[in-house]
C-alpha cells in the first residue's frame, strides 16, 4: 500500500482519536456536513475572491465604503452559490439568517482590519490601486512534501518588506492558539522551508471574529512538526 499523504487536519484527527482517523481516512466513511464547515468554506472563498475585485474606480473619497460594499456582495454571491448545501442541512430560516448575519459581521470585521493595513502602505502618494497590489497575498497555494508525506493548503502568504508571513483564516469563537492550530502552523512552516529553502518570518491566524494573531517561526516550531509527522 502506498504511504498516505497526511495533512494538518488528518494528523490532528489522529492525535485526537485514532478510531476516528481510521474511519475518516482509511475506511473513508462519509461524514455529514454541518453549518460550521459549510460557513467556513463560504468565508474562505469570499476572502480568496476579495483580492480579485476591480479597484480601478476606487478613489480617496470612496475606497473605504467600496471595499465594505465589495465584501458584502461577495459574501451574498457565495452564500447563494452554496445555498443548496445550506438548504440540505434542514435548518430553519431563522437559523440560516443568524449564521449569514454572523458571517457578515466576521467579514466586515476583517475588512476593517484590511483597510487599516491598506492605509499603512498608502503613503508618499501611493494610489489606492498600487496599495491594493502591495497588500494582495498569494492565496490558496498547495504545498506538498514527498519527503515528509504531508501537504497543506495555505490561505495567504504575504511578503512584507523582507519578511514572509503565512496566514490562515479561522471562524473559531475562541481567540486561542490551541495545540491543533500551533501544529498546523508548524507544518506550514516546515513545508514552506523545504520548498523555498528559507523560513517564513511569522505564521498566524486571522480569527475572523477578532483579529490577526501571529507568532515567530523558529527551530522549535519546525521540530514540533517533524515529531508529529513522524509519530503518525
Amino acid at each position: 500500500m502506498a504511504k498516505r499523504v497526511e495533512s494538518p487536519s488528518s494528523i490532528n484527527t489522529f492525535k485526537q482519536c485514532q478510531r476516528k482517523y481510521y474511519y475518516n481516512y482509511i475506511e473513508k466513511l462519509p461524514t455529514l456536513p454541518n453549518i460550521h464547515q459549510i460557513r467556513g468554506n463560504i468565508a474562505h472563498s469570499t476572502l480568496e475572491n476579495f483580492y480579485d475585485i476591480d479597484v480601478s474606480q476606487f478613489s480617496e473619497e470612496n475606497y473605504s465604503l467600496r471595499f465594505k460594499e465589495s465584501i458584502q456582495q461577495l459574501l451574498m454571491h457565495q452564500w447563494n452559490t452554496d445555498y443548496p448545501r445550506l438548504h440540505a442541512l434542514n435548518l430553519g430560516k431563522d437559523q440560516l439568517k443568524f449564521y449569514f448575519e454572523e458571517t457578515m459581521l466576521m467579514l466586515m470585521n476583517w475588512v476593517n482590519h484590511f483597510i487599516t493595513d491598506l492605509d499603512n502602505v498608502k503613503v508618499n502618494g501611493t494610489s489606492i490601486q498600487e496599495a491594493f497590489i502591495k497588500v494582495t497575498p498569494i492565496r490558496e497555494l498547495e504545498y506538498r512534501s514527498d519527503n515528509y508525506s504531508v501537504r497543506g493548503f495555505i490561505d495567504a502568504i504575504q511578503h512584507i518588506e523582507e519578511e514572509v508571513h503565512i496566514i490562515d483564516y479561522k471562524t473559531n469563537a475562541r481567540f486561542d492558539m490551541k495545540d491543533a492550530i500551533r501544529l498546523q502552523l508548524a507544518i506550514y512552516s516546515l513545508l514552506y522551508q523545504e520548498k523555498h529553502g528559507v523560513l517564513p518570518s511569522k505564521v498566524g491566524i486571522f480569527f475572523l471574529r477578532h483579529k490577526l494573531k501571529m507568532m515567530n517561526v523558529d527551530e522549535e516550531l519546525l521540530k514540533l512538526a517533524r515529531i508529529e509527522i513522524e509519530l503518525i
Side-chain angles (χ1 to χ4, degrees), residues 45-202:
S45 296
T46 300
L47 292 171
E48 181 183 359
N49 294 332
F50 176 83
Y51 291 100
D52 292 326
I53 63 175
D54 180 8
V55 298
S56 60
Q57 301 304 311
F58 288 20
S59 67
E60 289 289 338
E61 291 73 27
N62 69 18
Y63 73 91
S64 180
L65 177 62
R66 294 291 296 272
F67 280 126
K68 293 175 182 179
E69 290 174 344
S70 296
I71 202 78
Q72 292 178 57
Q73 292 166 2
L74 287 167
L75 174 60
M76 292 177 66
H77 171 76
Q78 196 63 47
W79 193 271
N80 289 332
T81 299
D82 283 352
Y83 189 78
R85 297 172 64 208
L86 292 164
H87 181 71
L89 297 175
N90 293 317
L91 299 177
K93 288 184 178 179
D94 288 343
Q95 286 178 295
L96 284 177
K97 180 181 178 183
F98 168 81
Y99 284 111
F100 173 80
E101 292 177 348
E102 186 181 54
T103 309
M104 181 67 80
L105 286 173
M106 285 191 278
L107 294 177
M108 290 300 292
N109 175 58
W110 177 88
V111 83
N112 284 330
H113 285 279
F114 164 82
I115 291 169
T116 298
D117 291 341
L118 187 83
D119 288 340
N120 288 335
V121 301
K122 192 172 62 64
V123 294
N124 299 325
T126 303
S127 68
I128 301 297
Q129 292 73 25
E130 291 170 327
F132 185 70
I133 291 172
K134 285 185 178 180
V135 299
T136 296
I138 300 169
R139 292 157 284 157
E140 282 297 317
L141 196 62
E142 180 184 15
Y143 279 73
R144 176 187 287 262
S145 170
D146 293 331
N147 181 38
Y148 293 107
S149 291
V150 68
R151 68 171 184 164
F153 286 88
I154 297 177
D155 288 341
I157 302 172
Q158 290 185 319
H159 292 84
I160 301 175
E161 296 180 351
E162 300 301 318
E163 294 191 347
V164 174
H165 295 179
I166 289 176
I167 298 170
D168 195 67
Y169 304 124
K170 300 287 187 192
T171 56
N172 299 16
R174 294 178 60 185
F175 185 54
D176 183 18
M177 285 281 202
K178 57 186 181 179
D179 290 344
I181 291 177
R182 181 177 172 82
L183 177 56
Q184 176 188 1
L185 296 176
I187 291 172
Y188 286 172
S189 300
L190 185 66
L191 290 171
Y192 188 91
Q193 184 205 39
E194 184 183 72
K195 182 171 181 177
H196 299 288
V198 296
L199 283 177
S201 307
K202 295 181 180 180

